[in-house]
Amino acid sequence: MADPGGGAVCNGKLHNQSAADCHGGNCWKNGVVKESQQDGNSNVYKPFVESFEEAPLHVMVFTYLGYGIGTLFGYLRDFLRNSGIEKCNAAVEREEQKDFVPLYQNFENFYTRNLYMRIRDNWNRPICSAPGAVFDVMERVTDDYNWTFRFTGRIIKDVINMGSYNFLGLAAKYDESMRTVKEVLETYGLGVGSTRQEMGTLDKHKELEDLVAKFLNVEDAMVFGMGFATNSMNIPALVGKGCLILSDELNHASLVLGARLSGATIRIFKHNNMQSLEKLLRDAVIYGQPRTRRAWKKILILVEGIYSMEGSIVCLPDIVALKKKYKAYLYIDEAHSIGSVGPTGRGVVEFFGIDPREIDVFMGTFTKSFGAAGGYIAGRKDLVDYLRTHSHSAAYATSMSPPVAEQIIRVMKLIMGLDGTTEGLQRVQQLARNTRYFRQRLSKMGFIVYGNEESPVVPLLLYMPAKVAAFARHLLKRKIGVVVVGFPATPLAEARARFCVSAAHTREMLDTVLEALDEMGDLLDVKYSRNRKSARPELYDEMSFELED
């Protein structure tokens, strides 16, 4: 896979694939999970259960009606601003530049100006402590309807943190276990001041890369200073013009950007839908490139381990089967899954019991489970050697800070048990228990909760924009910090709160949050669940949908 323009794809045999397994009267069409046992006994298979429940019709009607009313008032307020009746606080062109090409597109900012600004106080809240199980929030108020904020000087102490990606609870303030990080800081300093290809490769980077390869059970690995750039700057080095990228419709923006920068042709398949993916693969093999009909130089499938907005886990066994059948390459982004799922925290590959050699490109970040920063690419040694030379991040980006590298080494050894304790394994197991407990309680309360039952990312659907704002504001008054998400990060009518469960959360903390959510659900009337499953995650019949180019 080294050369972006090299290698043609073989055809392979064509047949339809079905993976429907019924358990306990419920038919789950997402396959099964092979769960490895700690005692080395035979593998146990369990249902791969994901939920994407539909909202009642009246909820969707009122959601779109709310956006419609907001849009009408937005046009009215724009008219008042243009007439000088209402002060315009938005960025506008200077009068001297009225004949220039506009720098600010007026209509493109309509949503931000008139809808987002009304609820802007729920985002960018300044935190003044470590993002542990609890944190401190700086109180701020606005005097001009969220256009600007001022700090009151008051600190809201001990807010329960349900929003940070601190899955294993290792993003915490300094304690004696971080002594090695302090020593590295004293020895190496903070910055490197060079790229990996020049004078920015340290012995700490080599130690970390060897440890990542051992952790993932692959031949080699390379680390980078920024997780987002790990995707966006390395995908263009792997594929180029004449190659085909098949990308899940819910992939992260970093994967989308990397795919676009590569110059390869991009096709989108429906989320976790094997019929949709196989149709694209089959057409790619049969018809080849547009106009010329030549075989694609390379076909690369892009997926994530855990999808951060849906709480969904990739159906990896089926994708690996298709990848092998059609001789494609598989690139998996484990940013949210590494450290958080699997019996020993090694991600979705371990979660499904798949041989790491079946995956062509491993990608992950150190920002979630490891309490640090940066990312990695891992796999075969020839792949990693190629990236050391051709990666834009290796050539142009500053190397990872030495104390950050040491923090990752410390945490990875903890998870692997190389520190001589079982604390890492205990944290992984505690996270799994907290995740199941939190998800089950929310579902029993009547909320619509998306995603996989094993995913520590827990989206709770709110739908209506006014309820999104009220939900976050009321919970902060109860000293609970949550992340609320809306358009364009989600579909327009699927605004939600996204909880991130941590191993650092105690049962008392989760019960406090759940009690507040129960009351909030009744107050805002957001308990929409009717236990009816959407067709969204189902395996479609091959002819039941049309794909867009």
Side-chain angles (χ1 to χ4, degrees), residues 230-440:
T230 304
N231 276 331
S232 60
M233 293 292 101
N234 283 297
I235 292 175
L238 297 175
V239 290
K241 188 176 180 180
C243 299
L244 175 65
I245 291 176
L246 302 180
S247 178
D248 190 289
E249 64 178 345
L250 298 182
N251 273 343
H252 189 264
S254 60
L255 289 169
V256 174
L257 178 60
R260 290 175 176 174
L261 291 175
S262 71
T265 301
I266 305 170
R267 294 287 182 265
I268 308 300
F269 63 91
K270 294 180 181 293
H271 174 57
N272 259 355
N273 188 301
M274 297 307 108
Q275 267 75 9
S276 176
L277 175 58
E278 183 165 18
K279 186 176 188 303
L280 290 176
L281 283 166
R282 185 172 61 248
D283 289 348
V285 170
I286 293 174
Y287 300 113
Q289 300 182 42
R291 294 187 296 275
T292 66
R293 299 307 179 191
R294 293 178 179 174
W296 294 101
K297 296 177 180 178
K298 200 176 301 175
I299 299 177
L300 180 64
I301 303 171
L302 294 183
V303 294
E304 292 187 53
I306 293 178
Y307 293 83
S308 60
M309 287 298 166
E310 312 296 318
S312 174
I313 294 179
V314 64
C315 194
L316 193 57
D318 290 344
I319 290 180
V320 168
L322 289 177
K323 165 246 177 187
K324 293 168 67 176
K325 174 181 173 183
Y326 291 97
K327 307 299 187 290
Y329 293 104
L330 177 58
Y331 182 115
I332 181 166
D333 177 350
E334 292 221 62
H336 297 86
S337 54
I338 194 68
S340 64
V341 296
T344 61
R346 285 170 167 80
V348 293
V349 176
E350 183 188 45
F351 179 77
F352 287 103
I354 292 176
D355 187 338
R357 291 174 295 184
E358 303 285 2
I359 312 299
D360 298 292
V361 187
F362 287 84
M363 179 272 171
T365 65
F366 303 116
T367 54
K368 281 78 178 178
S369 297
F370 298 89
Y376 65 82
I377 295 285
R380 291 170 55 91
K381 189 176 188 306
D382 55 356
L383 164 72
V384 177
D385 287 343
Y386 175 83
L387 288 177
R388 294 189 195 281
T389 304
H390 294 83
S391 168
H392 298 292
S393 290
Y396 304 112
T398 302
S399 300
M400 178 184 288
S401 172
V404 172
E406 178 59 29
Q407 162 70 2
I408 301 166
I409 292 170
R410 181 186 74 86
V411 171
M412 195 164 287
K413 287 182 177 179
L414 182 76
I415 297 173
M416 297 171 71
L418 298 180
D419 63 336
T421 72
T422 61
E423 181 185 347
L425 180 60
Q426 289 172 6
R427 286 179 179 268
V428 172
Q429 294 171 347
Q430 183 62 45
L431 174 62
R433 286 192 294 269
N434 286 352
T435 295
R436 287 191 288 268
Y437 177 74
F438 192 72
R439 279 184 167 274
Q440 289 169 4

Side-chain angles (χ1 to χ4, degrees), residues 459-527:
L460 186 154
L461 275 291
L462 301 172
Y463 299 103
M464 303 180 196
K467 292 187 177 184
V468 169
F471 187 86
R473 290 167 184 162
H474 280 290
L475 285 178
L476 184 60
K477 290 179 181 178
R478 295 169 178 254
K479 301 181 73 172
I480 299 171
V482 300
V483 171
V484 287
V485 190
F487 179 82
T490 69
L492 184 66
E494 291 188 14
R496 64 198 64 175
R498 185 187 62 190
F499 301 98
C500 292
V501 182
S502 172
H505 289 139
T506 64
R507 184 59 60 89
E508 291 74 23
M509 289 179 185
L510 294 179
D511 286 339
T512 299
V513 173
L514 289 164
E515 181 181 350
L517 291 177
D518 194 19
E519 295 177 11
M520 200 59 54
D522 294 330
L523 175 65
L524 299 179
D525 193 22
V526 292
K527 294 181 177 179

